[in-house]
Amino acid sequence: MQNIVLFGPPGAGKGTQSQKLIDKYGFVHLSTGDLLRAEIAAGTALGLEAKQLMDKGILVPDEVVVGMIDNKIKSNPDAKGFIFDGFPRTVAQAESLDKMMSQNNIKINGMIALVVDEEELTKRLLVRGQTSGRADDQNEELIRKRVQEYNSKTMPVADYYTGQGKYSAIDGIGEIDEIFTGICAVIDQF
Ligand code: ADP
């Protein structure tokens, strides 16, 4: 079993690459952004609360996303592996993930970071906003706020995995298939 954290700022291509990894390796995809949007679509209390923060480009509380991930790990006991996309986004989330993994007798094999500069991210997100219907992709100020949240709260998560000897970086600019080949090369070494 392989469990991978796919890391990078909003617009780095985590969702695109996750889809290709699922097709190739049969991983279960755990995207906290997708899980939160499903809660919003279902009109749950959790979704309503999360939406207010997401609409401002601010991270939702750690306990909310940790709870969702815990449920998903437990409800997939036969998974070939998990791909974590958009989670963990704070060091506290990373610590909780390690606890959840050890409670289930599994572990994170490694973090793969997609490296993309801010100018390229903003461009990509504005293009995505034209088709995704996501309000948070249609407003440049909101995009900057999300990148700011990433720089202040999420970047330290890379150091957390570096400290465990589990960090690898891949250039996230280039052909989708070329980037995918780079990611697979890392995974195949785990
Ligand atoms: P993107 O990577 O483009 O920002 P996501 O779908 O991953 O898109 O996240 C959308 C929003 O959902 C974030 O701006 C944040 O408010 C919330 N969110 C998603 N994952 C997390 C998380 N792990 N912790 C806190 N908030 C999260």
Side-chain angles (χ1 to χ4, degrees), residues 8-11 14 31-34 36-37 50 53-54 57-62 65 85-90 93 125 128 134 136-137 146:
K14 301 185 296 290
S31 155
T32 40
D34 287 351
L36 288 167
R37 281 185 289 276
L53 295 166
M54 291 165 76
I58 299 172
L59 295 185
V60 306
D62 290 334
V65 286
D85 164 3
F87 179 89
R89 250 172 157 102
T90 64
Q93 290 178 21
L125 289 172
R128 185 169 88 184
R134 277 180 57 174
D136 61 349
D137 285 344
R146 280 151 67 203

Side-chain angles (χ1 to χ4, degrees), residues 32-52 54-55 68 132-134:
T32 40
D34 287 351
L35 292 171
L36 288 167
R37 281 185 289 276
E39 294 283 340
I40 293 173
T44 65
L46 188 156
L48 285 175
E49 197 189 315
K51 185 174 187 307
Q52 296 188 3
M54 291 165 76
D55 283 350
M68 291 191 315
S132 70
R134 277 180 57 174

Side-chain angles (χ1 to χ4, degrees), residues 107-133:
K107 67 176 172 76
I108 295 294
N109 295 80
M111 162 183 273
I112 301 176
L114 294 173
V115 180
V116 179
D117 62 77
E118 185 168 343
E119 199 189 330
E120 171 73 14
L121 294 173
T122 309
K123 258 196 279 175
R124 285 188 191 179
L125 289 172
L126 287 170
V127 170
R128 185 169 88 184
Q130 291 171 6
T131 53
S132 70

Side-chain angles (χ1 to χ4, degrees), residues 134-150:
R134 277 180 57 174
D136 61 349
D137 285 344
Q138 294 175 26
N139 172 322
E140 194 157 343
E141 200 183 319
L142 215 54
I143 292 173
R144 297 230 180 266
K145 177 69 195 165
R146 280 151 67 203
V147 174
Q148 240 175 48
E149 284 278 275
Y150 175 81

Side-chain angles (χ1 to χ4, degrees), residues 62-91:
D62 290 334
E63 54 276 17
V64 171
V65 286
V66 167
M68 291 191 315
I69 292 282
D70 197 28
N71 286 338
K72 286 285 170 187
I73 293 175
K74 292 201 172 105
S75 60
N76 283 284
D78 300 325
K80 275 192 191 165
F82 292 103
I83 176 145
F84 295 94
D85 164 3
F87 179 89
R89 250 172 157 102
T90 64
V91 171

